Amino acid sequence: MEWNWKTIIEPFKIKSVEPLGITTRAERETALEQAHYNLFNIRAEKVLIDLLTDSGTGAMSAAQWGGIMVGDESYAGARSYYNFEAEIKDLTGFDEVIPVHQGRAAEKILFGAIAGRGKYIISNSHFDTTRANVEFTGAEAMDFPVKEALDFDKPAPFKGNADVAAMEKFIKEKGAKNIPLCVMTVTNNSLGGQPVSMENLKAVRELCNKHGIPMFLDCARFAENAYFIKLREKGWAGCPVREIAEQMFELADGAWMSSKKDALVNIGGFLALNNKEWSAKARQMLILTEGFNTYGGLAGRDLEAIAIGLREVLDENYLQYRIRSSAYLGEGLLKHGVPIINPPGGHGVYVNAKKFLPHIKPQQFPAQALACSLYLEGGIRGVEIGTLMFGKRGKDGAFQAAPMELVRLAIPRRVYTQSHIDYVIEVFAWLAKRKKSIKGLEIVEAPAILPHFTAKLKLAK
Ligand code: F0G
């Protein structure tokens, strides 16, 4: 469908609704203090617009709910597994389809089988859980983003790409035998939800062929990536998004997916590959930690909903609305002088808090301070990606400034309408005028590992 109107037409009707958490500013002030300025500690019912994550927070369709009712809950050989397997095989072309309860379970199983001390995994950028699972085996996770990815202000069509020359240099330095896998994360979540071009995927594929290194996709947001290729890459405008997605998979030796994103479900994931030796090892761990081969930590109904979601997500009317919604939010923020990673990503917008709040020094957590103000003034919940999340500390135990201070506004799929997004822009416009009054924060207490989830903070003096 051609779309030239300014209004975003959500391409669905709403059949079931949930009330938003409407609170007063005074209630939010109390909630924020009780949560120790950590938004992970806020009860969701006290949040008006929840942009903490796009993971597992989407709305399922009537067809998916229908699938839930006919899910086959047999322990072994459930019909729902075969529907799930057939759908994934058809899309990805991989022979071995292993269900898992979410993305990180696939990472744990895969890297447990192939990584380990002395090994390196190379990537455009590892997502946090991917990195953590690589490092847990004793291996090192190496990121090779392109240079333009780090210039937040200047737009470029494929800031998710890998720097192929830098990757090759690294392979030559460390030896291909020490690099069991190359992972391309599509879209690149850690650096702004930016897409990877088909050309870059092909270049990485060729590099991997040359050195005998398998290439996998971390394909949580594969449909958004494919749609960006259609929109932005020369030669793809006329190709159906499903075919673009199939070609992305064709370039890879395997993939894993957190289905909580582009499979439009609330829980689930898979690992899919051709290598029989790796899949046999992965299945051993699967049975040990997730469940039997035909359910892998999921209920039959979940498998059914994933199979349906993987088809629905490639509807181009849906993708048009999805990508347009994120762009609309990004454009709205830029209009009010709020700096973002430009262009906006597929699953949301990343606000550059370092640039927005230059009066707050990194040790006083500018991105966390902005996220808290956004909640206090508008009941909106985003997530800090900065000094608190990266959590690196000096010898004195003090937090060291992270290279970036971002607030990610991730948009749940099929949940909010254009008027909700207009409201978010309005709150930002209001905040932009008063940003000098936003105060930094200081730590009250913080654990050593993953401090952002449970740290306690207070307003800095
Ligand atoms: N890979 C990518 C690219 C991800 O974005 C995520 C999760 C995972 C793997 C792990 O999957 O959560 O199902 O175990 N991202 C979520 C987020 C948590 O908020 O960006 P999971």
Side-chain angles (χ1 to χ4, degrees):
M1 184 166 167
E2 297 291 326
W3 226 301
N4 298 312
W5 310 109
K6 240 177 103 195
T7 307
I8 295 172
I9 306 284
E10 288 85 13
F12 45 79
K13 294 188 284 183
I14 297 166
K15 178 176 265 179
S16 176
V17 297
E18 248 185 299
L20 293 178
I22 296 178
T23 51
T24 63
R25 190 182 188 280
E27 282 170 332
R28 292 194 296 274
E29 196 165 4
T30 308
L32 199 53
E33 274 165 22
Q34 284 173 350
H36 303 282
Y37 294 86
N38 186 332
L39 299 174
F40 283 98
N41 293 332
I42 302 265
R43 293 179 75 123
E45 58 199 18
K46 294 212 180 304
V47 177
L48 185 68
I49 307 282
D50 205 346
L51 308 180
L52 185 70
T53 178
D54 63 320
S55 182
T57 51
M60 291 208 293
S61 65
Q64 285 177 298
W65 283 111
I68 293 272
M69 294 310 292
V70 297
D72 178 355
E73 303 304 339
S74 305
Y75 189 98
R79 181 187 63 248
S80 298
Y81 170 75
Y82 292 107
N83 290 344
F84 167 91
E85 185 194 40
E87 194 56 46
I88 294 167
K89 275 189 177 173
D90 192 44
L91 174 67
T92 67
F94 302 128
D95 298 334
E96 302 288 333
V97 177
I98 301 174
V100 291
H101 81 278
Q102 61 182 77
R104 68 198 71 179
E107 293 165 353
K108 172 89 172 65
I109 285 170
L110 177 68
F111 292 119
I114 66 164
R117 204 161 293 283
K119 305 275 189 223
Y120 301 89
I121 306 297
I122 57 175
S123 177
N124 53 342
S125 294
H126 294 78
F127 178 66
D128 316 17
T129 59
T130 323
R131 171 177 299 282
N133 276 300
V134 168
E135 289 172 354
F136 188 72
T137 70
E140 282 183 60
M142 306 299 301
D143 290 346
F144 298 92
V146 279
K147 300 230 164 29
E148 63 249 40
L150 304 170
D151 183 351
F152 295 160
D153 295 327
K154 196 171 158 214
F158 291 104
K159 284 183 164 183
N161 282 355
D163 182 336
V164 181
M167 260 184 181
E168 175 143 47
K169 187 162 171 273
F170 184 83
I171 296 170
K172 284 183 177 154
E173 244 168 63
K174 301 292 177 187
K177 66 174 192 316
N178 296 316
I179 304 175
L181 191 69
C182 171
V183 183
M184 292 297 285
T185 309
V186 292
T187 58
N188 190 342
N189 186 12
S190 304
L191 284 171
Q194 302 290 316
V196 178
S197 69
M198 192 71 86
E199 189 185 15
N200 190 250
L201 286 176
K202 282 184 186 157
V204 174
R205 170 78 268 174
E206 274 166 31
L207 175 72
C208 288
N209 281 349
K210 191 164 140 194
H211 296 278
I213 298 169
M215 179 180 117
F216 274 38
L217 300 180
D218 174 354
C219 68
R221 299 176 182 85
F222 76 96
E224 291 172 9
N225 198 92
Y227 191 68
F228 275 122
I229 289 176
K230 181 174 175 113
L231 288 184
R232 296 183 183 169
E233 192 165 350
K234 208 168 157 245
W236 293 97
C239 187
V241 177
R242 186 175 178 99
E243 280 175 33
I244 300 177
E246 284 171 3
Q247 295 210 26
M248 286 164 52
F249 287 112
E250 213 175 290
L251 289 168
D253 299 297
W256 71 86
M257 181 182 196
S258 167
S259 303
K260 300 170 76 172
K261 283 80 169 176
D262 272 354
L264 304 172
V265 291
N266 306 118
I267 195 73
F270 63 80
L271 171 64
L273 66 171
N274 289 331
N275 184 320
K276 297 271 186 293
E277 196 190 319
W278 285 10
S279 65
K281 278 192 192 166
R283 284 187 205 279
Q284 293 259 296
M285 279 310 286
L286 183 82
I287 292 178
L288 202 61
T289 60
E290 288 283 293
F292 183 63
N293 287 334
T294 60
Y295 73 88
L298 292 169
R301 52 181 171 268
D302 300 323
L303 298 167
E304 204 71 52
I306 292 170
I308 298 166
L310 285 173
R311 245 171 292 140
E312 286 183 357
V313 78
L314 290 163
D315 170 2
E316 299 194 16
N317 290 329
Y318 160 76
L319 284 166
Q320 197 276 345
Y321 139 80
R322 172 75 180 154
I323 299 305
R324 190 65 208 114
S325 302
S326 308
Y328 179 80
L329 173 57
E331 287 158 14
L333 297 187
L334 284 171
K335 234 180 257 166
H336 293 287
V338 180
I340 62 166
I341 295 190
N342 200 10
H347 64 296
V349 174
Y350 293 56
V351 177
N352 185 352
K354 195 190 256 184
K355 198 168 171 197
F356 188 59
L357 302 176
H359 63 284
I360 303 180
K361 49 184 197 245
Q363 287 76 10
Q364 292 193 339
F365 309 101
Q368 184 69 9
L370 176 57
C372 287
S373 294
L374 204 55
Y375 174 70
L376 179 65
E377 303 303 343
I380 300 160
R381 175 159 69 172
V383 71
E384 186 252 20
I385 303 180
T387 299
L388 189 61
M389 181 180 272
F390 291 112
K392 292 235 159 46
R393 276 173 255 186
K395 286 205 181 85
D396 59 354
F399 278 77
Q400 292 178 325
M404 54 188 100
E405 286 289 337
L406 303 169
V407 176
R408 184 184 74 171
L409 307 170
I411 308 182
R413 291 168 182 78
R414 306 192 289 205
V415 170
Y416 295 118
T417 63
Q418 187 171 4
S419 67
H420 291 119
I421 301 296
D422 280 332
Y423 169 81
V424 175
I425 296 169
E426 197 178 322
V427 171
F428 259 103
W430 193 91
L431 264 182
K433 289 202 188 108
R434 294 159 184 81
K435 63 182 192 173
K436 290 219 173 77
S437 67
I438 299 176
K439 288 205 179 80
L441 297 165
E442 55 188 57
I443 292 283
V444 176
E445 58 181 74
I449 299 167
L450 299 172
H452 59 294
F453 287 120
T454 53
K456 293 183 177 169
L457 298 100
K458 63 177 184 185
L459 287 175
K461 278 182 218 92

